[in-house]
Amino acid sequence: MIEVATRTSHPRSRGERTKRRQRHQNMSKEKERQHAITVKIALSNEKNGNYILKQEQKAAAKHEHLYKILVIGELGTGKTSIIKRYVHQFFSQHYRATIGVDFALKVLNWDANTIVRLQLWDIAGQERFGNMTRVYYKEAVGAFIVFDVTRAATFDAVVKWKQDLDAKVQLPDGSAIPCVLLANKCDQPKEGLVNNPSKMDEYCKERGFTAWFETSAKDNINIEDAAKCLVSKILQNNKMINSNESSNDLERFTLDGRNQREQKSKTCGC
Ligand SMILES: Nc1nc2c(ncn2[C@@H]2O[C@H](COP(=O)(O)OP(=O)(O)O)[C@@H](O)[C@H]2O)c(=O)[nH]1
Ligand SMILES: [Mg+2]
């Protein structure tokens, strides 16, 4: 019985052993497979991570700016026409004074690393009152004041618009926001000081205008150049503000450092 039992049990245990060996082999194969998968995932995560990192680096390298720009001046000087020409490459003789505030967005690929979005604020109707509310001016970083070269009265009103602008909005350091003067409808006969460019230069310098341009929304003259001039002044201001901020940080850091050293020496002295 024992013999039989031994004989019968022997092949079974051998079989079991083989099965166990196979199971073991299978398990280590499975482990290897899982390990391979883990490595694959880790590699693809790393690849993904690198990709995301690269995308983030790319985004960080691209500077994007959104600037609020005001377009102000007397009624009928061509503010809406200038914006329409600049943003939509369109001009219409049909004069339609809308009521409220209109916005138009112009996107500029300034350089390989800089995108500038200009949010152009057009007034419609309120220019009758000769000034705007503080809310309208809030957070503007640049402005165009427009007059009509065929009507000298619209040029006389420029000073009032500049004063209103400077009183209601300033840069963080308290200085005036850049403002470009547009002598619009230059396709028409001109009236007044605008006929004397050097006097106009003087006028602009005295009153703190960044520059002035003769423009025509009708014939598409100088509008792009005027906008480029304003944007480069804004970017310049931006750089200055940023570098002031970082030098302030540096100052704070060195001051803190000095304070720490002084405190340390005092402690040491004690
Ligand atoms: N000849 C000429 N007419 C213009 C020019 N720009 C605007 N206008 C006309 O002037 C009128 C007033 O223009 P608009 O843009 O509505 O002025 P806003 O009240 O300042 O917005 C409209 O009839 C326009 O067609 C321009 O450059 N040349
Ligand atoms: Mg208008």
Side-chain angles (χ1 to χ4, degrees):
M1 284 284 282
I2 294 165
E3 259 186 46
V4 173
T6 319
R7 238 181 258 152
T8 48
S9 72
H10 184 65
R12 226 189 287 149
S13 67
R14 212 173 7 165
E16 266 171 20
R17 250 184 279 139
T18 323
K19 266 187 200 162
R20 218 180 300 145
R21 207 180 308 128
Q22 265 174 353
R23 226 181 294 138
H24 185 72
Q25 275 172 354
N26 285 348
M27 263 168 66
S28 48
K29 262 188 200 160
E30 178 60 23
K31 264 187 193 168
E32 265 171 37
R33 204 172 64 84
Q34 276 181 6
H35 179 67
I37 290 171
T38 316
V39 170
K40 240 187 194 174
I41 291 173
L43 280 174
S44 71
N45 274 350
E46 197 184 313
K47 260 192 207 164
N48 247 353
N50 283 345
Y51 175 75
I52 291 167
L53 196 72
K54 267 186 197 156
Q55 290 301 102
E56 278 170 1
Q57 280 168 347
K58 260 190 199 168
K62 260 216 171 210
H63 299 290
E64 293 201 15
H65 304 280
L66 177 66
Y67 293 141
K68 175 178 170 180
I69 310 289
L70 307 170
V71 186
I72 51 180
E74 293 294 275
L75 191 74
T77 51
K79 300 180 295 297
T80 305
S81 304
I82 288 171
I83 295 172
K84 290 235 160 83
R85 165 64 74 194
Y86 185 50
V87 177
H88 308 293
Q89 290 84 41
F90 158 89
F91 177 79
S92 162
Q93 291 283 354
H94 302 292
Y95 174 58
R96 193 169 62 96
T98 41
I99 300 298
V101 174
D102 267 347
F103 310 94
L105 190 75
K106 174 84 176 177
V107 182
L108 300 173
N109 288 313
W110 188 255
D111 59 34
N113 299 320
T114 318
I115 293 174
V116 175
R117 288 175 215 277
L118 298 180
Q119 196 183 58
L120 296 148
W121 284 49
D122 186 15
I123 39 170
Q126 299 97 314
E127 62 264 62
R128 285 174 220 277
F129 308 110
N131 62 33
M132 299 298 293
T133 63
R134 243 170 238 283
V135 176
Y136 172 77
Y137 286 124
K138 203 169 179 255
E139 280 164 15
V141 293
F144 290 113
I145 295 182
V146 187
F147 72 95
D148 177 345
V149 296
T150 68
R151 291 187 288 144
T154 63
F155 176 69
D156 298 339
V158 164
V159 184
K160 178 195 68 182
W161 282 106
K162 182 74 164 77
Q163 280 168 355
D164 194 47
L165 175 74
D166 292 347
K168 291 177 181 161
V169 64
Q170 294 89 31
L171 292 177
D173 67 355
S175 62
I177 66 169
C179 179
V180 169
L181 181 61
L182 302 183
N184 193 40
K185 306 195 191 178
C186 72
D187 55 281
Q188 300 279 307
K190 289 172 253 171
E191 201 181 74
L193 197 75
V194 71
N195 283 303
N196 188 336
S198 59
K199 281 261 185 312
M200 278 297 286
D201 287 345
E202 223 173 89
Y203 174 94
C204 285
K205 215 173 167 190
E206 275 170 14
R207 285 168 178 81
F209 284 98
T210 306
W212 72 281
F213 288 82
E214 283 189 356
T215 58
S216 168
K218 186 170 172 256
D219 292 349
N220 195 16
I221 299 171
N222 275 344
I223 295 174
E224 301 245 340
D225 286 349
K228 262 186 205 156
C229 169
L230 185 65
V231 171
S232 55
K233 185 69 185 166
I234 294 168
L235 286 169
Q236 212 177 302
N237 281 347
N238 226 26
K239 260 188 207 156
M240 243 157 56
I241 290 165
N242 286 345
S243 71
N244 278 351
E245 270 172 12
S246 54
S247 69
N248 279 349
D249 285 348
L250 198 68
E251 214 167 272
R252 231 173 284 139
F253 173 76
T254 47
L255 277 175
D256 287 352
R258 205 188 305 145
N259 285 346
Q260 272 174 11
R261 271 197 302 279
E262 278 167 9
Q263 271 175 356
K264 261 184 200 165
S265 61
K266 269 181 201 163
T267 334
C268 287
C270 293

